[in-house]
């Protein structure tokens, strides 16, 4: 609904140029509805037009303003929504569309002649306002979608505060002493359910991989891990945290009465026609229970190998080695370095009706059609070694072991390789060559490693520069000097960074990609492994055989404008 006002004659004079409408007709229609709140559809019909779209096109033509088509999937950021209150957006039928810089805001309006609207938004925001024309129905749809979500979150938090007051909870963990039945009732109350649901929805919207609930004495922190970095989001009241944690336990089918021991569980939810798996870890801490939710998006994981971040020649060699009939391929790196994604992309590449692919995992993070996946259960005596012994009787062609943790698992992996199987697994080491000493430390004979290991890949994840706000930058001389240790020509490169925008939540980064040490085991390396050479000697030999160190591979992505020096230095050692 729009209230029309007439501010001067400039607009009328410009509208005389239209071939569709006469000035007399427009004057009559606008004057008839001058003090009424009517839809633009009604105005369009009185002007002899068939729809508000035709009226928008007329406005665009007459006033020489762009006509903005608003796609259904368009999302208005929270920052923009906060600039213009909902009642203003509805009163003037406009929506903030983009913030062009620190000084100007573009709005899409259904009535560009209404100068009151521009003056009001300019006064509210302190920004210069640029107008584009939109169709009334599209703008109202965006207002409904954007402001309803914000109001829903605010309402949920307010409901939780009201619920808290209703139970007369006090500080100093009074909420921790609620009877179990009362706590369960509270966890199933609508505001708590809505808060948890909205937090999960927001985690997907923000591309979070984890949600952390961290209780302190007088507050609870909630943080999202986005592109590997934790950032805080709006928390609930501290005294309602037991109800929220109980809600999560109920979803995960955990024991809500147990607060002394760690617990692990999982649940699923559906958003935008996608099934999202959530892995739940509960750990007792000083002021309650810390909960971490790992968000497992199947669509985000099942990527093509070309999208993982391998250089073309590296990818070709990896695919060649994956097609070997036997041997061991190991991925190394810390938790959260992308090993699982790379393993699953490799399995997807290998998936074939002619092959029997079998995995042993702890836990199964993603269920993949066409692959036989087994979850180990140490609490009932089913560990990696037990699973692997049984799997070898299942006639597998390719085996993926979630992690080699002990001698028995390593020995079965080696035996499987020696008897004609391809084995993929992971280790927790800092670089590729140190995988040999790690296996020696758990008791594996060097000659067996030399005979079976075909490929070692060390991996890290670096953030990608946001393409929307990417701009050229000149790093510090000290940073360029560090890059020159690996790339002598670094002084002649063009460097880039993200200035920060709504798309990347003003971080300058959007998404992640891998950097790698790719070590194909040669005869020279096998000889050094068999004679128990030191890590330093093995690394020197690996580089001599063509292994590109992690930092060098990362700096090549800096040279291509994919990431920044800071990101490579954050995850890779320069040695």
């Amino acid at each position: 609904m729009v209230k029309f006002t007439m501010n001067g004659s400039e607009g009328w004079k410009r509208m005389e140029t239209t071939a569709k409408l006469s000035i007399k007709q427009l004057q009559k229609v606008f004057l008839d509805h001058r003090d009424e709140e009517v839809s633009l559809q009604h105005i369009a019909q009185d002007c002899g037009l068939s729809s508000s779209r035709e009226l928008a096109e007329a406005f665009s033509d007459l006033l020489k303003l762009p006509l903005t088509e608003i796609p259904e999937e368009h999302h208005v950021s929270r920052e923009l929504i906060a600039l213009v209150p909902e009642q203003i957006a509805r009163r003037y039928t406009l929506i903030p569309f983009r913030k062009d810089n620190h000084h100007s805001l573009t709005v899409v309006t259904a009535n560009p002649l209404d100068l009151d609207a521009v003056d009001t938004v300019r006064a509210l925001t302190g920004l210069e306002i640029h107008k584009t024309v939109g169709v009334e129905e599209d703008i109202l749809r965006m207002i409904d979608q954007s402001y309803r979500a914000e109001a829903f979150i605010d309402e949920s938090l307010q409901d939780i505060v009201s619920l808290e007051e209703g139970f007369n909870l006090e500080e100093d963990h009074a909420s921790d002493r609620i009877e179990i039945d009362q706590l369960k009732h509270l966890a199933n109350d609508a505001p708590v359910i809505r808060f948890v649901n909205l937090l999960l929805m927001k985690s997907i919207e923000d591309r979070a991989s984890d949600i952390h609930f961290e209780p302190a004495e007088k507050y609870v922190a909630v943080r999202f891990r986005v592109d590997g970095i934790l950032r805080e989001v709006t928390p609930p009241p501290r005294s309602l945290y037991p109800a929220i944690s109980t809600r999560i336990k109920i979803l995960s089918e955990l024991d809500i009465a147990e607060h002394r021991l760690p617990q692990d569980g999982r649940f699923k939810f559906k958003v935008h026609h996608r099934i999202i798996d959530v892995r739940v870890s509960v750990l007792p801490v000083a002021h309650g229970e810390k909960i971490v939710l790992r968000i497992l998006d199947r669509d985000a994981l099942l990527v093509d190998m070309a999208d993982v971040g391998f250089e073309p020649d590296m990818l070709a060699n990896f695919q060649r080695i994956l097609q070997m009939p036997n041997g061991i391929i190991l991925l190394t790196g810390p938790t959260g370095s992308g090993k699982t994604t790379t393993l699953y992309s490799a399995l997807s590449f290998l998936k074939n009706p002619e092959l029997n692919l079998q995995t042993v995992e702890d836990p199964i993070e993603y269920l993949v059609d066409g692959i036989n996946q087994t979850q180990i259960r140490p609490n009932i005596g089913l560990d990696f070694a037990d699973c692997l012994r049984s799997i070898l009787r299942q006639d597998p062609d390719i085996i993926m072991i979630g992690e080699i943790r002990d001698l028995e698992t390593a020995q079965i992996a080696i035996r499987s390789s020696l008897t004609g199987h391809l084995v993929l697994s992971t280790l927790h080491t800092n670089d590729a060559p140190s995988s040999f000493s790690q296996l020696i430390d758990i008791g594996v004979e060097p000659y067996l490693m030399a005979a079976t290991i075909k490929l070692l890949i060390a991996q890290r994840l670096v953030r990608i520069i946001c393409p929307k706000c990417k701009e050229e930058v000149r790093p510090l001389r000290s940073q360029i000097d560090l890059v020159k240790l690996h790339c002598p020509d670094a002084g002649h490169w063009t460097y880039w960074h993200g200035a920060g925008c709504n798309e990347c939540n003003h971080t300058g980064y959007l998404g992640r990609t891998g950097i790698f040490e790719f070590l194909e085991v040669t005869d020279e390396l096998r000889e050094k492994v068999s004679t128990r050479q030191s890590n330093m000697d093995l690394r020197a030999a690996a580089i001599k055989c063509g292994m590109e160190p992690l930092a060098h591979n990362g700096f090549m992505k800096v040279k291509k404008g994919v990431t920044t020096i800071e990101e490579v230095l954050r995850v890779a050692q320069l040695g």
Side-chain angles (χ1 to χ4, degrees):
M1 308 299 284
V2 180
K3 184 171 182 177
F4 285 89
T5 58
M6 296 172 59
N7 300 75
S9 60
E10 181 182 354
W12 300 113
K13 290 176 181 177
R14 296 181 68 179
M15 294 187 75
E16 290 176 353
T17 62
T18 181
K20 294 182 179 180
L21 302 171
S22 69
I23 183 64
K24 181 182 292 188
Q25 188 178 18
L26 278 168
Q27 284 178 327
K28 182 179 187 304
V29 171
F30 275 77
L31 287 171
D32 286 347
H33 300 293
R34 184 172 183 175
D35 297 318
E36 301 175 19
E37 292 191 357
V38 296
S39 70
L40 280 175
Q41 177 71 30
H42 186 81
I43 294 291
Q45 290 173 354
D46 277 9
C47 291
L49 301 174
S50 62
S51 66
S52 53
R53 172 171 288 278
E54 284 196 4
L55 185 60
E57 291 169 352
F59 277 142
S60 177
D61 178 57
L62 293 162
L63 302 180
K64 308 304 181 188
L65 291 173
L67 178 63
T68 299
E69 298 287 348
I70 307 178
E72 289 192 10
E73 63 274 13
H74 179 72
H75 172 72
V76 181
S77 71
R78 296 186 70 181
E79 180 195 16
L80 290 180
I81 289 300
L83 290 174
V84 181
E86 181 180 5
Q87 61 269 29
I88 298 298
R90 291 193 182 278
R91 178 183 176 188
Y92 295 110
T93 315
L94 58 80
I95 191 83
F97 195 67
R98 66 174 178 270
K99 196 174 180 182
D100 304 298
N101 49 50
H102 295 300
H103 308 291
S104 63
L105 174 70
T106 295
V107 299
V108 184
T109 174
N111 178 22
L113 287 179
D114 194 344
L115 301 184
D116 279 354
V118 174
D119 291 340
T120 301
V121 176
R122 183 185 294 116
L124 282 170
T125 62
L127 301 172
E128 185 60 34
I129 306 302
H130 299 299
K131 294 183 292 187
T132 67
V133 184
V135 178
E136 180 185 33
E137 291 87 344
D138 293 345
I139 295 173
L140 291 175
R141 184 190 73 242
M142 287 308 303
I143 290 173
D144 287 341
Q145 291 178 2
S146 303
Y147 288 96
R148 181 174 59 221
E150 292 302 304
F152 203 26
I153 292 174
D154 292 341
E155 180 187 350
S156 295
L157 287 172
Q158 186 58 48
D159 284 349
I160 288 179
V161 172
S162 300
L163 195 62
E164 175 191 18
E165 293 170 352
F167 274 87
N168 195 27
L169 301 178
E170 299 176 358
E171 295 292 346
D172 196 23
H173 307 298
S175 56
D176 294 342
R177 298 192 293 270
I178 299 174
E179 295 290 337
I180 293 299
D181 289 344
Q182 188 181 16
L183 188 58
K184 190 172 183 179
H185 171 77
L186 189 59
N188 285 313
D189 200 273
V192 174
I193 293 174
R194 192 160 63 233
F195 177 82
V196 173
N197 291 349
L198 286 170
L199 199 66
L200 290 170
M201 292 284 288
K202 181 167 175 56
S203 73
I204 299 302
E205 177 186 320
D206 290 359
R207 302 177 298 104
S209 61
D210 303 84
I211 305 174
H212 290 239
F213 296 88
E214 300 170 343
E217 183 178 2
K218 296 184 178 180
Y219 66 92
V220 57
V222 180
R223 300 195 288 172
F224 285 177
R225 187 178 294 279
V226 180
D227 292 336
I229 305 297
L230 284 169
R231 61 177 178 82
E232 290 192 356
V233 297
T234 305
R238 172 62 179 91
S239 53
L240 254 293
Y241 180 60
I244 292 169
S245 63
T246 299
R247 175 63 187 167
I248 294 170
K249 286 182 178 181
I250 290 171
L251 289 172
S252 313
E253 298 183 348
L254 300 178
D255 185 355
I256 66 172
E258 179 57 71
H259 302 287
R260 302 165 299 170
L261 298 173
Q263 296 189 73
D264 295 302
R266 63 191 305 153
F267 64 90
K268 298 178 183 180
F269 69 98
K270 188 174 183 179
V271 56
H272 303 316
H273 308 292
R274 291 152 54 195
I275 301 296
I276 307 296
D277 294 302
V278 181
R279 201 172 75 203
V280 180
S281 173
V282 181
L283 180 69
V285 292
H287 297 289
E289 292 176 296
K290 178 181 177 181
I291 299 178
V292 176
L293 309 183
R294 170 64 58 89
I295 310 298
L296 305 172
D297 185 349
R298 300 180 191 178
D299 293 338
L301 178 84
L302 299 178
V303 297
D304 188 272
M305 288 188 71
D307 298 326
V308 172
F310 291 110
E311 304 299 328
D313 57 340
M314 195 182 291
L315 177 61
N317 285 330
F318 190 15
Q319 292 176 337
R320 171 180 56 81
I321 295 170
L322 282 170
Q323 296 178 77
M324 290 182 174
N326 56 67
I328 297 176
I329 297 173
L330 292 176
L331 272 75
T332 77
T335 301
S337 61
K339 301 188 298 296
T340 300
T341 299
T342 303
L343 275 180
Y344 274 101
S345 69
L347 290 175
S348 297
F349 170 77
L350 291 167
K351 192 168 63 174
N352 187 317
E354 298 177 355
L355 296 175
N356 177 13
L357 276 66
Q358 178 72 56
T359 75
V360 184
E361 304 173 65
D362 180 28
I364 296 174
E365 294 198 2
Y366 299 87
L367 296 172
V368 184
D369 292 336
I371 299 176
N372 303 296
Q373 298 171 265
T374 301
Q375 164 82 52
I376 73 163
R377 302 182 185 279
N379 57 321
I380 61 171
L382 184 64
D383 57 18
F384 275 113
D386 293 323
C387 280
L388 284 170
R389 278 190 288 268
S390 298
I391 282 171
L392 290 174
R393 295 191 287 270
Q394 291 279 316
D395 187 31
D397 296 295
I398 298 168
I399 302 170
M400 191 271 272
I401 305 170
E403 182 184 349
I404 293 178
R405 300 176 179 175
D406 53 44
L407 177 59
E408 190 173 12
T409 303
Q411 288 175 332
I412 296 174
I414 290 171
R415 192 180 314 130
S416 301
S417 171
L418 292 172
T419 54
H421 302 90
L422 181 66
V423 179
L424 286 73
S425 190
T426 68
L427 279 177
H428 285 267
T429 62
N430 290 327
D431 60 9
S434 61
S435 301
F436 295 114
S437 59
Q438 174 84 353
L439 291 171
I440 289 174
D441 287 344
I442 65 174
V444 178
E445 291 294 335
Y447 74 91
L448 290 175
M449 289 189 296
T452 55
I453 296 177
K454 306 294 185 184
L455 176 65
L456 294 162
I457 300 176
Q459 177 172 347
R460 301 292 189 277
L461 292 175
V462 293
R463 291 182 290 174
I464 299 170
I465 298 171
C466 174
K468 298 289 186 182
C469 59
K470 186 175 181 179
E471 63 181 24
E472 191 173 336
V473 68
R474 186 64 182 171
L476 298 173
R477 171 54 57 185
S478 59
Q479 292 178 314
I480 296 177
D481 289 342
L482 288 174
V483 181
K484 283 183 177 179
L485 296 175
H486 285 268
C487 310
D489 64 335
H492 305 292
W493 294 356
T494 299
Y495 294 87
W496 303 86
H497 80 148
C501 64
N502 294 331
E503 190 74 18
C504 62
N505 200 30
H506 299 279
T507 63
Y509 298 98
L510 190 67
R512 290 189 291 176
T513 189
I515 61 173
F516 306 92
E517 276 184 352
F518 190 90
L519 176 55
E520 186 172 356
V521 182
T522 62
D523 290 340
E524 181 182 347
L525 275 173
R526 289 190 182 95
E527 183 178 348
K528 290 185 177 296
V529 170
S530 296
T531 55
R532 295 177 181 263
Q533 295 288 313
S534 68
N535 272 346
M536 186 178 298
D537 290 338
L538 286 174
R539 184 167 181 81
I543 293 174
K544 182 180 177 182
C545 291
M547 183 190 81
E548 182 182 45
L550 265 174
H552 185 275
N553 186 249
F555 290 140
M556 287 298 97
K557 285 183 166 57
V558 172
K559 183 178 182 179
K560 293 178 180 179
V562 175
T563 190
T564 62
I565 297 175
E566 292 86 354
E567 272 300 286
V568 176
L569 296 177
R570 182 175 66 86
V571 301
Q573 59 185 9
L574 292 181

